[in-house]
Structure formats: C-alpha cells, structure tokens
Amino acid sequence: MAFHRRLLHFRSSFNRRSFSPGAREGFNGSFRSYNATLTPEQTLLQIVKEVKQDGADNLVMDDEIAKIRQEFNAAKQSFLKIPEALKEMPKMNPEGIYVNKNLRLDNIQVYGFDYDYTLAHYSSNLQSLIYDLAKEHMVNEFRYPEVCISFKYDPNFPIRGLYYDKQKGCLLKLDFFGSIEPDGCYFGRRKLSRKEIAEIYGTRHIGRDQARGLVGLMDFFCFTEACLIADIVQYFVDAKLEFDASYIYEDVNRAIQHVHRRGLVHRGILSDPNRYLVKNGQVLQFVKMLREKGKKLFLLTNSPYYFVDGGMRFMLEDSTGYTDSWRELFDVVIAQANKPDFYTSDHPFRCYDTEKDTLAFTKVDAFIPNKIYYHGCLKSFLQITKWNGPEVIYFGDHLFSDLRGPSKAGWRTAAIIHELESEIRIQNDETYRFEQAKFHIIQELLGKLHATVANSQRTEACQLLLAELNEERQKARRMMKKMFNKSFGATFLTDTGQESAFAYHIHRYADVYTSKAENFLLYPPEAWLHVPFDIKIMPHHVKVPSSLFRNQ
C-alpha cells in the first residue's frame, strides 16, 4: 500500500507540473537527472522503478531500525539488575603502581624525591589556608573589594588538571585531544551551556592559537587557584563590573606565589602541624628499605630548609632514632631549587649554614653528607654526582615543575597523584561499573543507528529511538560524573568516556604513576614493571564491556 501511495503521488505530481524531461525533484528536495531523449512515458517508467527501489530500501532500513529498537528494549530489561558478571570482573588496586613505560627497578640505583605532596602528606585543611591567605593579600595589597574577604574555599568545586582561559575568563576541562568537555566549562561559578561554548569558542576543539591563552592548573595547589579565580570572576559578573580576565589570573597567581615565597603558608603549617600535616611511618620505612638495598637518595625541593626540617621532624617524631637525623637518610638534600628552572639554568649551588641561616660563598664541587644545599642546576648536579639519567628515578606531584624536566633529561619519573586512590575506588564500585556498561551499550546502539540511517532519511520511528537513546546516554553520563566531582567529574576521564588532558600529560611525562611514593613497598625493589598489553591509554582504567548485558 505504501508503494501505491507513493506512485499515485508521483503520477499526480507528474500530471500537475510542467514536466521537464531532464530532471525531477527527489524525496528530500534534491533533483535527479534523466536522459532528455526519453519520452514522458519512458521517464515515468524509470520513476516507477526507482520508487520501487526506494520502497525496498526503506523497508530494509525500517527492519534495521526495528532490530536496534529490539536490542535497546532487551538492554533496558537487563538494566533492571546488575549482571552477575560485573562481580567477576577484576578490580584495580587503589595503591597500585601503573605503568606507562616499562621500568626495571633493578636498574634504578638513585631515587630522588620532591617534598610537598610526595614525602609530605597534607590534610584538606591546607587548601583553605592557602585560599584565605591569598584572598587577604589580594584585598590588602591589590585593593580588591572588601567583600572578597568573606569568600570561602569550596573543596567540592575544583579538580586538578583544569585550564584557565586568560582571554575569555573560562575554566575548562579538556579531553585527551584538546576538546572542551561539554559539561566542563565554567565562567565564574556558572556552568556554560553547549550553545554558549559554541558562541564563545566557535568549536569545542581548542586550536593552537587559542591554546596560547590557556594556563594549566596541574599541581596540588591548583585547587586553591581554580576556586579563587572562579569566585572572583563570579563576583565581578554579579556586581556588573567590567574586568579583564587575564588580570584576575595574574593577580590570583601573584597572591598565591606571594604567600608561598614569603613563608606565610610554611609558617602557618608549622604553627599547627597536627592540623595540616599527616604522619606516615610508611614513608620512613620505604626510604630505609632503599638505603638498606644500597640505593642512593636525594631530596630536591623548592621549599626552604626550615620548612622541610620542621615537617620531617614532625612526621618522624614517633619513629625512634630519626627525629633529629632525618638528613642521614639522604645522600644529597637540595632546598629552594627553583624548579622547573633548575633543569635548564646554570645557577650554581650554594652551601646553606643551618645554624646561621646564611649561604656560603665557597664553590660547591662536591656534595658533603649531612650538608644542605640551595639553588643549583641539573647540569652541575650531574657533573658532581656522575649519576646517569636512566639509573635515576624522580618522584614528584607537579607534572611540569617536577616531571617534565627530569623526563627530558633522561631520568625515569614517578608521578604522585593522591586523587588516584579515591578515583580507582569509585571505578571499582559496582554502581559505577553498571552505569559504565550501560553507557557503552547505548554508544554502540547509537553508532549502529547513525550508520544505518542518514540525516535525510530519519523517519518518526528513527527520531523517537534516537531521542530515547540519547536520553539514556545522558542519564548514564550524569550518574558517573556525580560519583566523582559534581562540577567537573573525574580527574582522568571526561564524561564522554575520553581520557582527559591531565591524563595526556601523565601519559607523556610519567613513566609510572601511583597515589603515594610508599606504594612501592608493595613491590620488590628488583621488580620489572611492564605496560599492560591490553590498554589503550591509561593503564588504571578498566572499561566494562557492553557484552556483559547481553542475554542477561
């Protein structure tokens, strides 16, 4: 019947219009050409033939859509319960070491460590301290409005690995390939819609020219920075005051640098170490184990000596015999190293007098045990120690200050990412894995649907199925995102399932990564750490296959 209706329609159209034998309008408004030498009767026969073919094609397409609909209905039934197969899937170790590049620990003879967030662990109270000190400096010294003093740090807003656009004032979460996550773009504290993102950037992909205006917020102090930037932008927006987004970034960055360089944060921590520092005897156990195995150890930090000394004494005060002699654990201790310039500059080392708080003027051409050194550079460090690149591994939390320089210098690198532990625990949760598998099967069905039907051929049934699939996919996305951070989701993943830009930098600059340096205690010091054979990008990610939902 459908075929006869189409044919009657074309007969009627054929008789009504002034017929041009060279062309006719197609189903979607396009024109098909015909041989101008054909008679009208011959042309009509050709049209009838094509209508028959189109009808047959539509029947096939309708059948394919019906099959996809049937798969979707079957999947929805399986969504009502978590498949038993999920419980059988392996779970990743939150305290594991994850490998981007093969690493033989038996070849590592020298272990280097950053201090902050690597050897020293801090409580969540530290971010509020930095935030408060920085906002006070901006009000008192940069003459920001007094109301900024009332701002409070929000630990639920930022994540590590965001970017700030100094030209447009947006906080962005980017994926592995440099595209903006649709639900990860904020102007102040307001999330921008996809339409607004398109109006501002034209496209979700950040090009090379646009990338020049972005600054990465990659270390552990970036939580404070991202939150303070967003709060100040939001204040100016609400107050309807004009502002330059680049000035806000520069001022926030200067304020945070000031409270660190002037020692305000350091003195705040040492004045109440129980509030800010976390004692951890495993760090001492790890370092002692390395010493017993004959490894060389060095500490390379941007922090001043008095701060490192106070922190180490506090963290080790419950460990008999090491409160006053933590320096004996290290062959070389370098403070105020000025990373990342340390890796590229020619600054000389200075010997630091811990009693007089002064720097010596004598040239440093050897590192004396139990002495403290300031400044310096990688070139001099290698000349003095004779430690070759591949036998050295350096542990740090900042991708650019700690890991990029050593990586380029030939050292092996270990990234310390405290959020990794909690994120893996979430990924191991059956609720998350259920939503992840749900997301994947819907993605597969959407792929089939788009491959089957062109835009111009979407029937009402197709449009309905497309809308339902998209709605289910969005639900799964929102559920997974909520399990991590309500504003930006997971640190390593976007809500579209892509690895994040932060994951890209970890993959590029870290040979291995883990949540804490002392996790290495779980592995023999002669272990061979290999990249898993079945990974695509990040080795700690396990993707739940959609096949688990079939035949449930």
Side-chain angles (χ1 to χ4, degrees):
M1 288 298 293
F3 164 71
H4 289 297
R5 282 197 298 269
R6 290 191 190 98
L7 183 56
L8 285 172
H9 166 73
F10 280 107
R11 282 183 183 275
S12 175
S13 299
F14 180 84
N15 292 328
R16 282 199 310 268
R17 68 185 63 170
S18 56
F19 181 73
S20 169
R24 79 165 175 87
E25 189 174 356
F27 289 113
N28 60 354
S30 61
F31 286 84
R32 296 181 181 178
S33 60
Y34 296 92
N35 191 330
T37 62
L38 294 177
T39 66
E41 289 76 12
Q42 290 173 321
T43 301
L44 182 59
L45 288 173
Q46 187 171 343
I47 292 172
V48 170
K49 182 179 179 181
E50 289 183 357
V51 168
K52 285 183 177 180
Q53 182 60 48
D54 286 339
D57 290 343
N58 285 339
L59 287 173
V60 171
M61 186 171 63
D62 289 343
D63 186 50
E64 288 297 318
I65 292 172
K67 286 181 181 178
I68 296 172
R69 163 68 71 181
Q70 189 176 9
E71 285 187 60
F72 182 41
N73 290 335
K76 283 194 290 187
Q77 290 300 313
S78 69
F79 292 164
L80 299 176
K81 63 176 183 177
I82 297 176
E84 287 297 315
L86 281 180
K87 299 177 182 178
E88 300 172 6
M89 285 192 63
K91 294 188 176 182
M92 306 306 288
N93 181 5
E95 298 179 335
I97 298 171
Y98 295 94
V99 187
N100 290 324
K101 300 169 189 171
N102 292 341
L103 177 65
R104 288 181 53 174
L105 293 181
D106 59 342
N107 287 340
I108 302 297
Q109 302 303 319
V110 183
Y111 284 73
F113 298 92
D114 183 31
Y115 175 71
D116 292 301
Y117 294 104
T118 301
L119 290 179
H121 300 325
Y122 295 101
S123 73
S124 58
N125 295 321
L126 180 57
Q127 299 298 334
S128 294
L129 173 66
I130 300 170
Y131 183 95
D132 291 341
L133 292 170
K135 76 181 181 186
E136 289 169 9
H137 184 73
M138 293 182 72
V139 171
N140 297 333
E141 299 299 326
F142 301 160
R143 298 296 184 260
Y144 272 68
E146 289 284 343
V147 69
C148 295
I149 290 292
S150 65
F151 293 170
K152 300 293 183 185
Y153 175 69
D154 180 4
N156 298 315
F157 175 67
I159 62 170
R160 187 170 8 184
L162 299 177
Y163 287 83
Y164 180 67
D165 188 334
K166 293 191 293 183
Q167 272 71 52
K168 298 178 174 66
C170 297
L171 270 176
L172 311 170
K173 182 180 178 184
L174 303 182
D175 69 15
F176 196 89
F177 303 102
S179 294
I180 302 170
E181 180 179 308
D183 289 328
C185 181
Y186 280 73
F187 187 68
R189 296 297 293 269
R190 185 176 71 86
K191 183 171 72 173
L192 300 182
S193 67
R194 296 187 181 212
K195 181 180 178 182
E196 289 174 312
I197 294 173
E199 288 172 352
I200 294 171
Y201 291 98
T203 174
R204 279 181 49 217
H205 184 72
I206 297 295
R208 183 175 298 177
D209 292 338
Q210 289 175 315
R212 293 191 182 99
L214 302 184
V215 287
L217 309 177
M218 297 291 166
D219 67 354
F220 213 75
F221 298 123
C222 74
F223 294 98
T224 299
E225 195 170 7
C227 194
L228 190 52
I229 287 172
D231 288 343
I232 291 175
V233 168
Q234 190 61 54
Y235 167 76
F236 278 109
V237 170
D238 292 341
K240 296 181 172 55
L241 299 174
E242 291 187 4
F243 65 95
D244 188 316
S246 65
Y247 292 163
I248 290 179
Y249 168 75
E250 297 298 340
D251 289 344
V252 169
N253 186 260
R254 283 167 55 206
I256 292 176
Q257 292 296 327
H258 171 82
V259 300
H260 279 90
R261 289 173 179 167
R262 290 303 177 92
L264 301 180
V265 174
H266 300 145
R267 289 193 289 273
I269 293 171
L270 294 182
S271 68
D272 192 359
N274 285 295
R275 178 175 174 78
Y276 299 110
L277 279 165
V278 178
K279 291 185 178 182
N280 188 350
Q282 284 190 313
V283 171
L284 175 62
Q285 186 180 345
F286 175 44
V287 172
K288 286 175 65 178
M289 182 271 291
L290 293 174
R291 295 288 292 182
E292 290 167 0
K293 293 291 183 179
K295 308 297 184 182
K296 299 292 185 181
L297 279 75
F298 69 92
L299 178 63
L300 178 67
T301 176
N302 285 352
S303 294
Y305 170 75
Y306 79 88
F307 175 66
V308 177
D309 183 55
M312 291 294 284
R313 285 172 180 268
F314 172 78
M315 289 187 292
L316 302 181
E317 67 182 3
D318 297 332
S319 304
T320 306
Y322 275 96
T323 303
D324 299 320
S325 58
W326 65 267
R327 290 182 298 180
E328 296 176 1
L329 296 169
F330 298 93
D331 296 274
V332 184
V333 176
I334 302 166
Q336 290 199 331
N338 196 31
K339 295 176 293 181
D341 289 348
F342 177 88
Y343 301 109
T344 56
S345 73
D346 289 317
H347 293 157
F349 283 102
R350 303 284 296 275
C351 188
Y352 175 72
D353 190 320
T354 59
E355 300 295 330
K356 299 178 182 179
D357 188 26
T358 58
L359 296 174
F361 294 97
T362 54
K363 182 179 180 181
V364 175
D365 52 16
F367 292 129
I368 302 171
N370 214 29
K371 293 288 185 180
I372 306 300
Y373 297 91
Y374 267 35
H375 312 317
C377 64
L378 178 64
K379 180 180 177 181
S380 297
F381 182 82
L382 297 178
Q383 288 174 344
I384 294 171
T385 62
K386 309 299 184 189
W387 292 337
N388 296 319
E391 68 178 359
V392 182
I393 188 169
Y394 186 69
F395 291 71
D397 73 293
H398 195 301
L399 294 177
F400 300 143
S401 293
D402 290 331
L403 304 181
R404 180 165 57 184
S407 177
K408 291 182 177 180
W411 288 358
R412 310 307 299 269
T413 53
I416 304 302
I417 307 157
H418 291 267
E419 309 94 294
L420 180 66
E421 201 163 310
S422 62
E423 294 210 353
I424 289 178
R425 292 188 195 283
I426 293 170
Q427 289 178 190
N428 285 340
D429 187 89
E430 287 182 1
T431 305
Y432 176 84
R433 291 185 167 200
F434 170 63
E435 294 296 335
Q436 188 187 36
K438 190 174 171 181
F439 177 79
H440 287 162
I441 196 168
I442 294 168
Q443 284 280 80
E444 286 184 13
L445 293 173
L446 277 167
K448 285 183 182 179
L449 188 59
H450 286 297
T452 301
V453 183
N455 288 339
S456 60
Q457 298 172 316
R458 289 179 180 173
T459 62
E460 184 178 348
C462 175
Q463 294 283 17
L464 183 62
L465 179 57
L466 184 63
E468 289 182 41
L469 286 169
N470 277 320
E471 184 181 358
E472 285 292 336
R473 181 173 63 169
Q474 282 297 101
K475 284 181 184 177
R477 276 182 181 175
R478 287 194 294 269
M479 287 296 294
M480 287 190 289
K481 182 176 181 177
K482 274 170 41 180
M483 295 180 198
F484 293 95
N485 174 281
K486 65 179 183 180
S487 303
F488 294 100
T491 303
F492 288 89
L493 284 173
T494 67
D495 63 1
T496 58
Q498 295 278 0
E499 270 80 3
S500 65
F502 179 75
Y504 167 79
H505 292 302
I506 290 290
H507 185 71
R508 185 176 183 186
Y509 296 124
D511 293 323
V512 297
Y513 61 98
T514 187
S515 63
K516 302 185 295 287
E518 54 268 28
N519 290 342
F520 274 70
L521 283 171
L522 302 174
Y523 297 76
E526 299 83 17
W528 290 24
L529 305 179
H530 288 283
V531 178
F533 72 93
D534 57 346
I535 68 158
K536 291 183 178 179
I537 298 176
M538 301 306 291
H540 77 277
H541 285 156
V542 172
K543 292 181 172 61
V544 179
S546 59
S547 58
L548 289 177
F549 280 103
R550 297 201 175 97
N551 303 318
Q552 291 295 319

